[in-house]
Amino acid sequence: LAYTINVPVSDIVTSGPGLSFVTFPEAILLMPASQLWAILFFFMMIVLGLGSTFAMVHMITTSILDQWPHLRKSEWKVTFGVAMTGFILGIPQTCPGGIYVFTLLEKHTVSWNILLLGFFEVIVLSWVFGFEKTFDLVSEMGIKIYSGLKKFYWKPILIVIAPIYSFGIFVFILTGASPTQFRDYVFPLWADVLGWLFGAVTLV
């Protein structure tokens, strides 16, 4: 694509939604049987989007139903309510300034806080609840793990390596933090603070 339109590769390859919805489609147009590849590419995007959506909606509805078991008889209503709430909250991202909302959410809700969540999950399972108890529950689920693999691989990974690496990457992200930016637009400080609050809410 860079060769065809005579620009440097660095000007073509970008991250974020532009890569999926601008760069890839333009590159697909240059391929033989481009219509076939376009259908396959966008079908893959739809399947990925639906798969992620199902997982997120199911996670929220399961949490609600576990907390309030009396709602289980109205599970479809809970699911519908969660889906509609997500739909309504997503509407601002379809407006003219939606890409800025998306950029702010993407930077602050699927980066540093995910690492912290992973760090705390590993700490709770390995140190607080206990490594042996965790693997007893895994065995109860019918998952067979050889004792040698458990002792020499999973134990050091879950007790030492995973917490150190995840927390280290979190610190690395914080030390390299910069104001949120979309193309040439740098977000004002109040918007970045709002983004950090969004990230904190997901942790809470």
Side-chain angles (χ1 to χ4, degrees), residues 131-154:
F131 177 81
E132 293 298 333
K133 286 183 183 177
T134 299
F135 270 81
D136 288 343
L137 292 177
V138 170
S139 299
E140 281 181 25
M141 289 187 273
I143 301 170
K144 293 181 181 178
I145 298 176
Y146 298 108
S147 58
L149 191 64
K150 175 181 156 186
K151 183 178 179 181
F152 296 108
Y153 178 76
W154 286 114

mmCIF file with all atom_site columns, all heavy atoms in Angstrom, residues 131-154:
data_model
loop_
_atom_site.group_PDB
_atom_site.id
_atom_site.type_symbol
_atom_site.label_atom_id
_atom_site.label_alt_id
_atom_site.label_comp_id
_atom_site.label_asym_id
_atom_site.label_entity_id
_atom_site.label_seq_id
_atom_site.pdbx_PDB_ins_code
_atom_site.Cartn_x
_atom_site.Cartn_y
_atom_site.Cartn_z
_atom_site.occupancy
_atom_site.B_iso_or_equiv
_atom_site.pdbx_formal_charge
_atom_site.auth_seq_id
_atom_site.auth_comp_id
_atom_site.auth_asym_id
_atom_site.auth_atom_id
_atom_site.pdbx_PDB_model_num
ATOM 1   N N   . PHE A 1 131 ? -2.076  -21.089 46.676 1.00 0.00 ? 131 PHE A N   1
ATOM 2   C CA  . PHE A 1 131 ? -1.763  -21.804 45.437 1.00 0.00 ? 131 PHE A CA  1
ATOM 3   C C   . PHE A 1 131 ? -2.329  -23.218 45.448 1.00 0.00 ? 131 PHE A C   1
ATOM 4   O O   . PHE A 1 131 ? -2.950  -23.659 44.481 1.00 0.00 ? 131 PHE A O   1
ATOM 5   C CB  . PHE A 1 131 ? -0.240  -21.829 45.241 1.00 0.00 ? 131 PHE A CB  1
ATOM 6   C CG  . PHE A 1 131 ? 0.201   -22.604 44.044 1.00 0.00 ? 131 PHE A CG  1
ATOM 7   C CD1 . PHE A 1 131 ? 0.173   -22.044 42.782 1.00 0.00 ? 131 PHE A CD1 1
ATOM 8   C CD2 . PHE A 1 131 ? 0.642   -23.926 44.174 1.00 0.00 ? 131 PHE A CD2 1
ATOM 9   C CE1 . PHE A 1 131 ? 0.574   -22.772 41.667 1.00 0.00 ? 131 PHE A CE1 1
ATOM 10  C CE2 . PHE A 1 131 ? 1.038   -24.653 43.070 1.00 0.00 ? 131 PHE A CE2 1
ATOM 11  C CZ  . PHE A 1 131 ? 1.012   -24.074 41.811 1.00 0.00 ? 131 PHE A CZ  1
ATOM 12  N N   . GLU A 1 132 ? -2.133  -23.939 46.541 1.00 0.00 ? 132 GLU A N   1
ATOM 13  C CA  . GLU A 1 132 ? -2.591  -25.336 46.613 1.00 0.00 ? 132 GLU A CA  1
ATOM 14  C C   . GLU A 1 132 ? -4.113  -25.424 46.548 1.00 0.00 ? 132 GLU A C   1
ATOM 15  O O   . GLU A 1 132 ? -4.670  -26.282 45.865 1.00 0.00 ? 132 GLU A O   1
ATOM 16  C CB  . GLU A 1 132 ? -2.071  -26.007 47.894 1.00 0.00 ? 132 GLU A CB  1
ATOM 17  C CG  . GLU A 1 132 ? -0.564  -26.200 47.926 1.00 0.00 ? 132 GLU A CG  1
ATOM 18  C CD  . GLU A 1 132 ? -0.048  -27.108 46.807 1.00 0.00 ? 132 GLU A CD  1
ATOM 19  O OE1 . GLU A 1 132 ? -0.808  -27.977 46.336 1.00 0.00 ? 132 GLU A OE1 1
ATOM 20  O OE2 . GLU A 1 132 ? 1.120   -26.933 46.411 1.00 0.00 ? 132 GLU A OE2 1
ATOM 21  N N   . LYS A 1 133 ? -4.798  -24.532 47.255 1.00 0.00 ? 133 LYS A N   1
ATOM 22  C CA  . LYS A 1 133 ? -6.263  -24.534 47.228 1.00 0.00 ? 133 LYS A CA  1
ATOM 23  C C   . LYS A 1 133 ? -6.774  -24.238 45.811 1.00 0.00 ? 133 LYS A C   1
ATOM 24  O O   . LYS A 1 133 ? -7.746  -24.835 45.357 1.00 0.00 ? 133 LYS A O   1
ATOM 25  C CB  . LYS A 1 133 ? -6.826  -23.484 48.198 1.00 0.00 ? 133 LYS A CB  1
ATOM 26  C CG  . LYS A 1 133 ? -6.711  -23.855 49.656 1.00 0.00 ? 133 LYS A CG  1
ATOM 27  C CD  . LYS A 1 133 ? -7.370  -22.756 50.492 1.00 0.00 ? 133 LYS A CD  1
ATOM 28  C CE  . LYS A 1 133 ? -7.224  -23.033 51.970 1.00 0.00 ? 133 LYS A CE  1
ATOM 29  N NZ  . LYS A 1 133 ? -7.784  -21.941 52.792 1.00 0.00 ? 133 LYS A NZ  1
ATOM 30  N N   . THR A 1 134 ? -6.109  -23.302 45.144 1.00 0.00 ? 134 THR A N   1
ATOM 31  C CA  . THR A 1 134 ? -6.510  -22.956 43.775 1.00 0.00 ? 134 THR A CA  1
ATOM 32  C C   . THR A 1 134 ? -6.412  -24.175 42.876 1.00 0.00 ? 134 THR A C   1
ATOM 33  O O   . THR A 1 134 ? -7.336  -24.471 42.108 1.00 0.00 ? 134 THR A O   1
ATOM 34  C CB  . THR A 1 134 ? -5.626  -21.813 43.223 1.00 0.00 ? 134 THR A CB  1
ATOM 35  O OG1 . THR A 1 134 ? -5.793  -20.655 44.047 1.00 0.00 ? 134 THR A OG1 1
ATOM 36  C CG2 . THR A 1 134 ? -6.000  -21.466 41.798 1.00 0.00 ? 134 THR A CG2 1
ATOM 37  N N   . PHE A 1 135 ? -5.317  -24.912 42.990 1.00 0.00 ? 135 PHE A N   1
ATOM 38  C CA  . PHE A 1 135 ? -5.136  -26.081 42.130 1.00 0.00 ? 135 PHE A CA  1
ATOM 39  C C   . PHE A 1 135 ? -6.009  -27.252 42.557 1.00 0.00 ? 135 PHE A C   1
ATOM 40  O O   . PHE A 1 135 ? -6.346  -28.114 41.739 1.00 0.00 ? 135 PHE A O   1
ATOM 41  C CB  . PHE A 1 135 ? -3.655  -26.460 42.033 1.00 0.00 ? 135 PHE A CB  1
ATOM 42  C CG  . PHE A 1 135 ? -2.977  -25.766 40.893 1.00 0.00 ? 135 PHE A CG  1
ATOM 43  C CD1 . PHE A 1 135 ? -2.546  -24.460 41.016 1.00 0.00 ? 135 PHE A CD1 1
ATOM 44  C CD2 . PHE A 1 135 ? -2.815  -26.404 39.669 1.00 0.00 ? 135 PHE A CD2 1
ATOM 45  C CE1 . PHE A 1 135 ? -1.946  -23.809 39.956 1.00 0.00 ? 135 PHE A CE1 1
ATOM 46  C CE2 . PHE A 1 135 ? -2.213  -25.764 38.607 1.00 0.00 ? 135 PHE A CE2 1
ATOM 47  C CZ  . PHE A 1 135 ? -1.778  -24.464 38.741 1.00 0.00 ? 135 PHE A CZ  1
ATOM 48  N N   . ASP A 1 136 ? -6.407  -27.298 43.826 1.00 0.00 ? 136 ASP A N   1
ATOM 49  C CA  . ASP A 1 136 ? -7.396  -28.295 44.244 1.00 0.00 ? 136 ASP A CA  1
ATOM 50  C C   . ASP A 1 136 ? -8.722  -28.052 43.533 1.00 0.00 ? 136 ASP A C   1
ATOM 51  O O   . ASP A 1 136 ? -9.395  -28.985 43.089 1.00 0.00 ? 136 ASP A O   1
ATOM 52  C CB  . ASP A 1 136 ? -7.595  -28.242 45.763 1.00 0.00 ? 136 ASP A CB  1
ATOM 53  C CG  . ASP A 1 136 ? -6.404  -28.810 46.525 1.00 0.00 ? 136 ASP A CG  1
ATOM 54  O OD1 . ASP A 1 136 ? -5.587  -29.525 45.890 1.00 0.00 ? 136 ASP A OD1 1
ATOM 55  O OD2 . ASP A 1 136 ? -6.283  -28.534 47.737 1.00 0.00 ? 136 ASP A OD2 1
ATOM 56  N N   . LEU A 1 137 ? -9.108  -26.767 43.414 1.00 0.00 ? 137 LEU A N   1
ATOM 57  C CA  . LEU A 1 137 ? -10.348 -26.421 42.705 1.00 0.00 ? 137 LEU A CA  1
ATOM 58  C C   . LEU A 1 137 ? -10.239 -26.737 41.211 1.00 0.00 ? 137 LEU A C   1
ATOM 59  O O   . LEU A 1 137 ? -11.200 -27.179 40.591 1.00 0.00 ? 137 LEU A O   1
ATOM 60  C CB  . LEU A 1 137 ? -10.686 -24.945 42.906 1.00 0.00 ? 137 LEU A CB  1
ATOM 61  C CG  . LEU A 1 137 ? -11.088 -24.536 44.319 1.00 0.00 ? 137 LEU A CG  1
ATOM 62  C CD1 . LEU A 1 137 ? -11.333 -23.041 44.395 1.00 0.00 ? 137 LEU A CD1 1
ATOM 63  C CD2 . LEU A 1 137 ? -12.332 -25.289 44.763 1.00 0.00 ? 137 LEU A CD2 1
ATOM 64  N N   . VAL A 1 138 ? -9.063  -26.511 40.657 1.00 0.00 ? 138 VAL A N   1
ATOM 65  C CA  . VAL A 1 138 ? -8.832  -26.842 39.242 1.00 0.00 ? 138 VAL A CA  1
ATOM 66  C C   . VAL A 1 138 ? -9.000  -28.341 39.032 1.00 0.00 ? 138 VAL A C   1
ATOM 67  O O   . VAL A 1 138 ? -9.628  -28.791 38.061 1.00 0.00 ? 138 VAL A O   1
ATOM 68  C CB  . VAL A 1 138 ? -7.430  -26.368 38.781 1.00 0.00 ? 138 VAL A CB  1
ATOM 69  C CG1 . VAL A 1 138 ? -7.093  -26.925 37.407 1.00 0.00 ? 138 VAL A CG1 1
ATOM 70  C CG2 . VAL A 1 138 ? -7.359  -24.843 38.761 1.00 0.00 ? 138 VAL A CG2 1
ATOM 71  N N   . SER A 1 139 ? -8.467  -29.143 39.961 1.00 0.00 ? 139 SER A N   1
ATOM 72  C CA  . SER A 1 139 ? -8.616  -30.604 39.877 1.00 0.00 ? 139 SER A CA  1
ATOM 73  C C   . SER A 1 139 ? -10.071 -31.023 40.006 1.00 0.00 ? 139 SER A C   1
ATOM 74  O O   . SER A 1 139 ? -10.528 -31.943 39.327 1.00 0.00 ? 139 SER A O   1
ATOM 75  C CB  . SER A 1 139 ? -7.783  -31.284 40.967 1.00 0.00 ? 139 SER A CB  1
ATOM 76  O OG  . SER A 1 139 ? -6.425  -30.982 40.809 1.00 0.00 ? 139 SER A OG  1
ATOM 77  N N   . GLU A 1 140 ? -10.822 -30.334 40.877 1.00 0.00 ? 140 GLU A N   1
ATOM 78  C CA  . GLU A 1 140 ? -12.246 -30.640 41.044 1.00 0.00 ? 140 GLU A CA  1
ATOM 79  C C   . GLU A 1 140 ? -13.029 -30.419 39.753 1.00 0.00 ? 140 GLU A C   1
ATOM 80  O O   . GLU A 1 140 ? -14.052 -31.054 39.518 1.00 0.00 ? 140 GLU A O   1
ATOM 81  C CB  . GLU A 1 140 ? -12.849 -29.772 42.157 1.00 0.00 ? 140 GLU A CB  1
ATOM 82  C CG  . GLU A 1 140 ? -12.534 -30.261 43.557 1.00 0.00 ? 140 GLU A CG  1
ATOM 83  C CD  . GLU A 1 140 ? -13.175 -29.384 44.625 1.00 0.00 ? 140 GLU A CD  1
ATOM 84  O OE1 . GLU A 1 140 ? -14.193 -28.736 44.318 1.00 0.00 ? 140 GLU A OE1 1
ATOM 85  O OE2 . GLU A 1 140 ? -12.641 -29.346 45.737 1.00 0.00 ? 140 GLU A OE2 1
ATOM 86  N N   . MET A 1 141 ? -12.545 -29.498 38.930 1.00 0.00 ? 141 MET A N   1
ATOM 87  C CA  . MET A 1 141 ? -13.211 -29.216 37.650 1.00 0.00 ? 141 MET A CA  1
ATOM 88  C C   . MET A 1 141 ? -12.879 -30.266 36.595 1.00 0.00 ? 141 MET A C   1
ATOM 89  O O   . MET A 1 141 ? -13.339 -30.179 35.461 1.00 0.00 ? 141 MET A O   1
ATOM 90  C CB  . MET A 1 141 ? -12.830 -27.826 37.145 1.00 0.00 ? 141 MET A CB  1
ATOM 91  C CG  . MET A 1 141 ? -13.436 -26.699 37.949 1.00 0.00 ? 141 MET A CG  1
ATOM 92  S SD  . MET A 1 141 ? -13.120 -25.084 37.216 1.00 0.00 ? 141 MET A SD  1
ATOM 93  C CE  . MET A 1 141 ? -11.543 -24.678 37.911 1.00 0.00 ? 141 MET A CE  1
ATOM 94  N N   . GLY A 1 142 ? -12.050 -31.249 36.972 1.00 0.00 ? 142 GLY A N   1
ATOM 95  C CA  . GLY A 1 142 ? -11.717 -32.325 36.045 1.00 0.00 ? 142 GLY A CA  1
ATOM 96  C C   . GLY A 1 142 ? -10.550 -32.015 35.127 1.00 0.00 ? 142 GLY A C   1
ATOM 97  O O   . GLY A 1 142 ? -10.319 -32.719 34.143 1.00 0.00 ? 142 GLY A O   1
ATOM 98  N N   . ILE A 1 143 ? -9.804  -30.941 35.433 1.00 0.00 ? 143 ILE A N   1
ATOM 99  C CA  . ILE A 1 143 ? -8.649  -30.578 34.623 1.00 0.00 ? 143 ILE A CA  1
ATOM 100 C C   . ILE A 1 143 ? -7.420  -31.260 35.219 1.00 0.00 ? 143 ILE A C   1
ATOM 101 O O   . ILE A 1 143 ? -7.076  -31.039 36.383 1.00 0.00 ? 143 ILE A O   1
ATOM 102 C CB  . ILE A 1 143 ? -8.451  -29.052 34.586 1.00 0.00 ? 143 ILE A CB  1
ATOM 103 C CG1 . ILE A 1 143 ? -9.701  -28.377 34.006 1.00 0.00 ? 143 ILE A CG1 1
ATOM 104 C CG2 . ILE A 1 143 ? -7.215  -28.675 33.786 1.00 0.00 ? 143 ILE A CG2 1
ATOM 105 C CD1 . ILE A 1 143 ? -9.723  -26.875 34.136 1.00 0.00 ? 143 ILE A CD1 1
ATOM 106 N N   . LYS A 1 144 ? -6.774  -32.105 34.431 1.00 0.00 ? 144 LYS A N   1
ATOM 107 C CA  . LYS A 1 144 ? -5.609  -32.845 34.926 1.00 0.00 ? 144 LYS A CA  1
ATOM 108 C C   . LYS A 1 144 ? -4.332  -32.050 34.684 1.00 0.00 ? 144 LYS A C   1
ATOM 109 O O   . LYS A 1 144 ? -4.045  -31.643 33.560 1.00 0.00 ? 144 LYS A O   1
ATOM 110 C CB  . LYS A 1 144 ? -5.521  -34.203 34.220 1.00 0.00 ? 144 LYS A CB  1
ATOM 111 C CG  . LYS A 1 144 ? -6.668  -35.147 34.589 1.00 0.00 ? 144 LYS A CG  1
ATOM 112 C CD  . LYS A 1 144 ? -6.521  -36.474 33.889 1.00 0.00 ? 144 LYS A CD  1
ATOM 113 C CE  . LYS A 1 144 ? -7.674  -37.414 34.247 1.00 0.00 ? 144 LYS A CE  1
ATOM 114 N NZ  . LYS A 1 144 ? -7.572  -38.699 33.531 1.00 0.00 ? 144 LYS A NZ  1
ATOM 115 N N   . ILE A 1 145 ? -3.596  -31.826 35.758 1.00 0.00 ? 145 ILE A N   1
ATOM 116 C CA  . ILE A 1 145 ? -2.297  -31.156 35.659 1.00 0.00 ? 145 ILE A CA  1
ATOM 117 C C   . ILE A 1 145 ? -1.272  -32.035 36.353 1.00 0.00 ? 145 ILE A C   1
ATOM 118 O O   . ILE A 1 145 ? -1.431  -32.375 37.524 1.00 0.00 ? 145 ILE A O   1
ATOM 119 C CB  . ILE A 1 145 ? -2.338  -29.754 36.306 1.00 0.00 ? 145 ILE A CB  1
ATOM 120 C CG1 . ILE A 1 145 ? -3.339  -28.868 35.560 1.00 0.00 ? 145 ILE A CG1 1
ATOM 121 C CG2 . ILE A 1 145 ? -0.961  -29.118 36.288 1.00 0.00 ? 145 ILE A CG2 1
ATOM 122 C CD1 . ILE A 1 145 ? -3.537  -27.508 36.171 1.00 0.00 ? 145 ILE A CD1 1
ATOM 123 N N   . TYR A 1 146 ? -0.232  -32.415 35.630 1.00 0.00 ? 146 TYR A N   1
ATOM 124 C CA  . TYR A 1 146 ? 0.797   -33.286 36.196 1.00 0.00 ? 146 TYR A CA  1
ATOM 125 C C   . TYR A 1 146 ? 1.534   -32.569 37.326 1.00 0.00 ? 146 TYR A C   1
ATOM 126 O O   . TYR A 1 146 ? 1.803   -31.373 37.255 1.00 0.00 ? 146 TYR A O   1
ATOM 127 C CB  . TYR A 1 146 ? 1.771   -33.726 35.108 1.00 0.00 ? 146 TYR A CB  1
ATOM 128 C CG  . TYR A 1 146 ? 1.102   -34.530 34.023 1.00 0.00 ? 146 TYR A CG  1
ATOM 129 C CD1 . TYR A 1 146 ? 0.899   -33.991 32.762 1.00 0.00 ? 146 TYR A CD1 1
ATOM 130 C CD2 . TYR A 1 146 ? 0.645   -35.831 34.268 1.00 0.00 ? 146 TYR A CD2 1
ATOM 131 C CE1 . TYR A 1 146 ? 0.264   -34.724 31.760 1.00 0.00 ? 146 TYR A CE1 1
ATOM 132 C CE2 . TYR A 1 146 ? 0.021   -36.569 33.280 1.00 0.00 ? 146 TYR A CE2 1
ATOM 133 C CZ  . TYR A 1 146 ? -0.171  -36.010 32.023 1.00 0.00 ? 146 TYR A CZ  1
ATOM 134 O OH  . TYR A 1 146 ? -0.804  -36.733 31.050 1.00 0.00 ? 146 TYR A OH  1
ATOM 135 N N   . SER A 1 147 ? 1.853   -33.312 38.367 1.00 0.00 ? 147 SER A N   1
ATOM 136 C CA  . SER A 1 147 ? 2.461   -32.721 39.562 1.00 0.00 ? 147 SER A CA  1
ATOM 137 C C   . SER A 1 147 ? 3.789   -32.029 39.254 1.00 0.00 ? 147 SER A C   1
ATOM 138 O O   . SER A 1 147 ? 4.098   -30.979 39.816 1.00 0.00 ? 147 SER A O   1
ATOM 139 C CB  . SER A 1 147 ? 2.666   -33.782 40.637 1.00 0.00 ? 147 SER A CB  1
ATOM 140 O OG  . SER A 1 147 ? 3.472   -34.838 40.151 1.00 0.00 ? 147 SER A OG  1
ATOM 141 N N   . GLY A 1 148 ? 4.577   -32.617 38.341 1.00 0.00 ? 148 GLY A N   1
ATOM 142 C CA  . GLY A 1 148 ? 5.848   -31.985 37.965 1.00 0.00 ? 148 GLY A CA  1
ATOM 143 C C   . GLY A 1 148 ? 5.627   -30.639 37.298 1.00 0.00 ? 148 GLY A C   1
ATOM 144 O O   . GLY A 1 148 ? 6.327   -29.658 37.572 1.00 0.00 ? 148 GLY A O   1
ATOM 145 N N   . LEU A 1 149 ? 4.628   -30.577 36.409 1.00 0.00 ? 149 LEU A N   1
ATOM 146 C CA  . LEU A 1 149 ? 4.295   -29.328 35.722 1.00 0.00 ? 149 LEU A CA  1
ATOM 147 C C   . LEU A 1 149 ? 3.789   -28.289 36.712 1.00 0.00 ? 149 LEU A C   1
ATOM 148 O O   . LEU A 1 149 ? 4.149   -27.112 36.641 1.00 0.00 ? 149 LEU A O   1
ATOM 149 C CB  . LEU A 1 149 ? 3.230   -29.608 34.651 1.00 0.00 ? 149 LEU A CB  1
ATOM 150 C CG  . LEU A 1 149 ? 2.942   -28.490 33.645 1.00 0.00 ? 149 LEU A CG  1
ATOM 151 C CD1 . LEU A 1 149 ? 4.171   -28.207 32.795 1.00 0.00 ? 149 LEU A CD1 1
ATOM 152 C CD2 . LEU A 1 149 ? 1.769   -28.872 32.768 1.00 0.00 ? 149 LEU A CD2 1
ATOM 153 N N   . LYS A 1 150 ? 2.994   -28.752 37.654 1.00 0.00 ? 150 LYS A N   1
ATOM 154 C CA  . LYS A 1 150 ? 2.452   -27.863 38.681 1.00 0.00 ? 150 LYS A CA  1
ATOM 155 C C   . LYS A 1 150 ? 3.577   -27.289 39.542 1.00 0.00 ? 150 LYS A C   1
ATOM 156 O O   . LYS A 1 150 ? 3.610   -26.090 39.825 1.00 0.00 ? 150 LYS A O   1
ATOM 157 C CB  . LYS A 1 150 ? 1.455   -28.640 39.537 1.00 0.00 ? 150 LYS A CB  1
ATOM 158 C CG  . LYS A 1 150 ? 0.896   -27.884 40.712 1.00 0.00 ? 150 LYS A CG  1
ATOM 159 C CD  . LYS A 1 150 ? -0.061  -28.790 41.482 1.00 0.00 ? 150 LYS A CD  1
ATOM 160 C CE  . LYS A 1 150 ? -0.188  -28.350 42.909 1.00 0.00 ? 150 LYS A CE  1
ATOM 161 N NZ  . LYS A 1 150 ? -0.984  -29.280 43.701 1.00 0.00 ? 150 LYS A NZ  1
ATOM 162 N N   . LYS A 1 151 ? 4.508   -28.155 39.948 1.00 0.00 ? 151 LYS A N   1
ATOM 163 C CA  . LYS A 1 151 ? 5.565   -27.739 40.868 1.00 0.00 ? 151 LYS A CA  1
ATOM 164 C C   . LYS A 1 151 ? 6.628   -26.880 40.192 1.00 0.00 ? 151 LYS A C   1
ATOM 165 O O   . LYS A 1 151 ? 7.048   -25.848 40.748 1.00 0.00 ? 151 LYS A O   1
ATOM 166 C CB  . LYS A 1 151 ? 6.215   -28.970 41.492 1.00 0.00 ? 151 LYS A CB  1
ATOM 167 C CG  . LYS A 1 151 ? 7.286   -28.655 42.518 1.00 0.00 ? 151 LYS A CG  1
ATOM 168 C CD  . LYS A 1 151 ? 7.848   -29.936 43.112 1.00 0.00 ? 151 LYS A CD  1
ATOM 169 C CE  . LYS A 1 151 ? 8.930   -29.644 44.130 1.00 0.00 ? 151 LYS A CE  1
ATOM 170 N NZ  . LYS A 1 151 ? 9.504   -30.876 44.703 1.00 0.00 ? 151 LYS A NZ  1
ATOM 171 N N   . PHE A 1 152 ? 7.068   -27.268 39.003 1.00 0.00 ? 152 PHE A N   1
ATOM 172 C CA  . PHE A 1 152 ? 8.211   -26.589 38.388 1.00 0.00 ? 152 PHE A CA  1
ATOM 173 C C   . PHE A 1 152 ? 7.829   -25.517 37.372 1.00 0.00 ? 152 PHE A C   1
ATOM 174 O O   . PHE A 1 152 ? 8.682   -24.744 36.952 1.00 0.00 ? 152 PHE A O   1
ATOM 175 C CB  . PHE A 1 152 ? 9.137   -27.622 37.730 1.00 0.00 ? 152 PHE A CB  1
ATOM 176 C CG  . PHE A 1 152 ? 9.754   -28.570 38.700 1.00 0.00 ? 152 PHE A CG  1
ATOM 177 C CD1 . PHE A 1 152 ? 9.352   -29.896 38.765 1.00 0.00 ? 152 PHE A CD1 1
ATOM 178 C CD2 . PHE A 1 152 ? 10.736  -28.128 39.580 1.00 0.00 ? 152 PHE A CD2 1
ATOM 179 C CE1 . PHE A 1 152 ? 9.916   -30.776 39.677 1.00 0.00 ? 152 PHE A CE1 1
ATOM 180 C CE2 . PHE A 1 152 ? 11.311  -29.000 40.495 1.00 0.00 ? 152 PHE A CE2 1
ATOM 181 C CZ  . PHE A 1 152 ? 10.900  -30.324 40.546 1.00 0.00 ? 152 PHE A CZ  1
ATOM 182 N N   . TYR A 1 153 ? 6.553   -25.475 36.956 1.00 0.00 ? 153 TYR A N   1
ATOM 183 C CA  . TYR A 1 153 ? 6.142   -24.452 35.998 1.00 0.00 ? 153 TYR A CA  1
ATOM 184 C C   . TYR A 1 153 ? 5.113   -23.499 36.615 1.00 0.00 ? 153 TYR A C   1
ATOM 185 O O   . TYR A 1 153 ? 5.369   -22.308 36.754 1.00 0.00 ? 153 TYR A O   1
ATOM 186 C CB  . TYR A 1 153 ? 5.571   -25.089 34.727 1.00 0.00 ? 153 TYR A CB  1
ATOM 187 C CG  . TYR A 1 153 ? 5.086   -24.063 33.731 1.00 0.00 ? 153 TYR A CG  1
ATOM 188 C CD1 . TYR A 1 153 ? 5.984   -23.333 32.960 1.00 0.00 ? 153 TYR A CD1 1
ATOM 189 C CD2 . TYR A 1 153 ? 3.728   -23.799 33.583 1.00 0.00 ? 153 TYR A CD2 1
ATOM 190 C CE1 . TYR A 1 153 ? 5.548   -22.376 32.062 1.00 0.00 ? 153 TYR A CE1 1
ATOM 191 C CE2 . TYR A 1 153 ? 3.276   -22.844 32.678 1.00 0.00 ? 153 TYR A CE2 1
ATOM 192 C CZ  . TYR A 1 153 ? 4.192   -22.139 31.924 1.00 0.00 ? 153 TYR A CZ  1
ATOM 193 O OH  . TYR A 1 153 ? 3.755   -21.188 31.035 1.00 0.00 ? 153 TYR A OH  1
ATOM 194 N N   . TRP A 1 154 ? 3.936   -24.051 36.994 1.00 0.00 ? 154 TRP A N   1
ATOM 195 C CA  . TRP A 1 154 ? 2.850   -23.181 37.449 1.00 0.00 ? 154 TRP A CA  1
ATOM 196 C C   . TRP A 1 154 ? 3.153   -22.471 38.767 1.00 0.00 ? 154 TRP A C   1
ATOM 197 O O   . TRP A 1 154 ? 2.780   -21.310 38.950 1.00 0.00 ? 154 TRP A O   1
ATOM 198 C CB  . TRP A 1 154 ? 1.546   -23.974 37.567 1.00 0.00 ? 154 TRP A CB  1
ATOM 199 C CG  . TRP A 1 154 ? 0.954   -24.275 36.230 1.00 0.00 ? 154 TRP A CG  1
ATOM 200 C CD1 . TRP A 1 154 ? 0.803   -25.496 35.654 1.00 0.00 ? 154 TRP A CD1 1
ATOM 201 C CD2 . TRP A 1 154 ? 0.447   -23.324 35.284 1.00 0.00 ? 154 TRP A CD2 1
ATOM 202 N NE1 . TRP A 1 154 ? 0.246   -25.376 34.404 1.00 0.00 ? 154 TRP A NE1 1
ATOM 203 C CE2 . TRP A 1 154 ? 0.011   -24.056 34.155 1.00 0.00 ? 154 TRP A CE2 1
ATOM 204 C CE3 . TRP A 1 154 ? 0.330   -21.941 35.281 1.00 0.00 ? 154 TRP A CE3 1
ATOM 205 C CZ2 . TRP A 1 154 ? -0.542  -23.435 33.036 1.00 0.00 ? 154 TRP A CZ2 1
ATOM 206 C CZ3 . TRP A 1 154 ? -0.220  -21.321 34.172 1.00 0.00 ? 154 TRP A CZ3 1
ATOM 207 C CH2 . TRP A 1 154 ? -0.647  -22.068 33.073 1.00 0.00 ? 154 TRP A CH2 1
#
